[in-house]
Amino acid sequence: MKNIAKISDVASKNIGIIIIVLSIVAFFFPPMFSWATSYTSLLLGVAMFGMGLTIKLDDFRIVFTRPKELLIGCFAQFTIMPLLAFCLAKAFHLSPDLAIGVILVGCCPGGTASNVITYIADGDTALSVGMTIFSTLLAPFLTPVLVYLLGGSWVEVSLLAMIISVVKVVLLPVLAGILIYQLFPAFVEKIRDVLPLVSVVAIVLLISGIVGSNADKIVTCGVMVFIVVMLHNICGLLLGLTFSKIFNLNYKKATAVAIEVGMQNSGLAISLATTNFAANPLATLPGAIFSVWHNISGSIFASIRRKNKKDIPECEKDSSERIYN
């Protein structure tokens, strides 16, 4: 078990590199991973269940102890990225398939990778985790509504079908994980160090499967999608940081909010594209490329923030953040 725990720790800390390497393998050898697309919803559900198993009820204390930062972050999450996606789809005159794929990414909640990147950046990790939990629980309602409002001009969007999809692949698995933890805390604690590996394997298979299945399409339209995805992510990080400064959040909190806003749960975007937009096969592509890119940009952003932290006054350090870590 200790050896598996070590593997789990290494895998979770290097998930970005793993995704990049296996996505390249999937691109050149599609059959190795393309089979995974048949299990898209299952893989995301497994990842969300694994996330739920790591959540303690005490983690929800952040909602009550720092509501200002949490609400600011989640408001930025569900406004900046969706509107950016809409504007980029219009500006680049994307096809309906790619437009709805970009919008799906923009309307999704934050992903768990943001927590790791925030930790690397020495940001407020507790706030990052709280935002991920809170935005994930809001997603079953907000994500379908935003996609319906913003994506309806390109393709027909079934609001009810999307709500059901998000509930099935996100909310229910997360709640099931939380419940299992409450019923069997001793057992879950024994395997807690192994749990990240489950989510890493599920997400990596999910993304590599999409890359493998769309290898030929990436060749034809990959450059355009990559440019849009790159702009979407970078603008999200910078606008998230700007938004935080407007509300006078300190360095650590601003770092957490910026990373949480810029890094989406692209696995959910892929799952929703597969389940709800089967008639638009390229809709999965932006999510797959975003999954690869945001780990690269997030790591670079974290490195820059960590280096710049030495110039931040001691008074900006938040004692409450240290309590949670």
Side-chain angles (χ1 to χ4, degrees), residues 66 124 126 253 317-325:
R66 51 180 75 177
D124 192 329
K253 292 182 174 65
K317 291 184 178 180
D318 182 12
S319 59
S320 65
E321 191 269 348
R322 290 194 294 270
I323 292 173
Y324 281 91
N325 289 293

Side-chain angles (χ1 to χ4, degrees), residues 81-103:
M81 292 302 276
L83 292 176
L84 269 177
F86 180 83
C87 292
L88 288 169
K90 287 287 188 182
F92 282 83
H93 305 289
L94 296 182
S95 67
D97 285 32
L98 295 178
I100 195 64
V102 171
I103 287 172

Side-chain angles (χ1 to χ4, degrees), residues 165-192:
S165 294
V166 183
V167 168
K168 286 168 60 177
V169 300
V170 175
L171 186 61
L172 291 182
V174 169
L175 293 180
I178 294 173
L179 179 61
I180 294 296
Y181 182 84
Q182 295 306 307
L183 294 176
F184 309 102
F187 172 74
V188 174
E189 283 295 336
K190 287 181 180 179
I191 63 171
R192 175 179 280 277

Side-chain angles (χ1 to χ4, degrees), residues 308-322:
N308 290 341
K309 188 190 172 190
K310 62 184 179 181
D311 299 323
I312 301 302
E314 185 70 20
C315 62
E316 281 207 11
K317 291 184 178 180
D318 182 12
S319 59
S320 65
E321 191 269 348
R322 290 194 294 270

Side-chain angles (χ1 to χ4, degrees), residues 3-325:
N3 290 333
I4 298 177
K6 289 180 181 178
I7 295 173
S8 179
D9 182 59
V10 172
S12 59
K13 289 181 179 177
N14 296 280
I15 185 172
I17 297 173
I18 295 171
I19 287 174
I20 293 168
V21 171
L22 292 186
S23 292
I24 293 173
V25 174
F27 178 78
F28 288 104
F29 305 98
M32 289 183 64
F33 292 98
S34 57
W35 57 268
T37 55
S38 300
Y39 306 95
T40 300
S41 296
L42 176 62
L43 289 170
L44 182 63
V46 169
M48 292 296 99
F49 178 71
M51 174 184 171
L53 284 174
T54 64
I55 298 174
K56 303 177 182 179
L57 290 183
D58 282 349
D59 292 334
F60 289 99
R61 285 188 300 162
I62 192 172
V63 177
F64 304 103
T65 58
R66 51 180 75 177
K68 173 190 170 183
E69 295 89 347
L70 193 72
L71 292 175
I72 288 172
C74 285
F75 178 79
Q77 175 85 55
F78 286 112
T79 53
I80 291 174
M81 292 302 276
L83 292 176
L84 269 177
F86 180 83
C87 292
L88 288 169
K90 287 287 188 182
F92 282 83
H93 305 289
L94 296 182
S95 67
D97 285 32
L98 295 178
I100 195 64
V102 171
I103 287 172
L104 278 168
V105 171
C107 296
C108 282
T112 53
S114 62
N115 307 149
V116 178
I117 296 299
T118 299
Y119 175 77
I120 293 172
D122 200 20
D124 192 329
T125 308
L127 176 60
S128 176
V129 171
M131 283 181 59
T132 299
I133 294 171
F134 195 48
S135 64
T136 298
L137 295 178
L138 290 175
F141 174 72
L142 288 182
T143 295
V145 169
L146 288 169
V147 173
Y148 177 79
L149 293 174
L150 299 176
S153 58
W154 279 280
V155 299
E156 183 178 348
V157 180
S158 174
L159 180 60
L160 180 60
M162 282 202 66
I163 291 174
I164 293 173
S165 294
V166 183
V167 168
K168 286 168 60 177
V169 300
V170 175
L171 186 61
L172 291 182
V174 169
L175 293 180
I178 294 173
L179 179 61
I180 294 296
Y181 182 84
Q182 295 306 307
L183 294 176
F184 309 102
F187 172 74
V188 174
E189 283 295 336
K190 287 181 180 179
I191 63 171
R192 175 179 280 277
D193 292 339
V194 179
L195 294 177
L197 183 61
V198 176
S199 294
V200 168
V201 170
I203 291 299
V204 169
L205 283 176
L206 176 64
I207 296 167
S208 300
I210 294 298
V211 171
S213 298
N214 293 279
D216 55 336
K217 297 168 187 173
I218 291 175
V219 173
T220 57
C221 62
V223 175
M224 171 67 76
V225 179
F226 182 79
I227 291 173
V228 172
V229 163
M230 184 176 65
L231 288 173
H232 192 195
N233 169 247
I234 293 174
C235 289
L237 290 168
L238 296 179
L239 288 175
L241 194 59
T242 302
F243 194 82
S244 301
K245 290 182 178 179
I246 291 174
F247 286 91
N248 297 315
L249 298 188
N250 70 25
Y251 190 84
K252 281 178 171 284
K253 292 182 174 65
T255 299
V257 170
I259 292 172
E260 193 69 22
V261 170
M263 299 186 69
Q264 303 292 86
N265 186 341
S266 46
L268 175 58
I270 294 171
S271 178
L272 291 177
T274 303
T275 306
N276 296 274
F277 300 98
N280 308 93
L282 284 178
T284 58
L285 198 54
I289 293 178
F290 195 97
S291 297
V292 177
W293 168 253
H294 80 166
N295 282 289
I296 299 173
S297 65
S299 298
I300 295 171
F301 183 78
S303 177
I304 294 172
R305 293 294 286 176
R306 194 177 185 95
K307 287 179 181 178
N308 290 341
K309 188 190 172 190
K310 62 184 179 181
D311 299 323
I312 301 302
E314 185 70 20
C315 62
E316 281 207 11
K317 291 184 178 180
D318 182 12
S319 59
S320 65
E321 191 269 348
R322 290 194 294 270
I323 292 173
Y324 281 91
N325 289 293

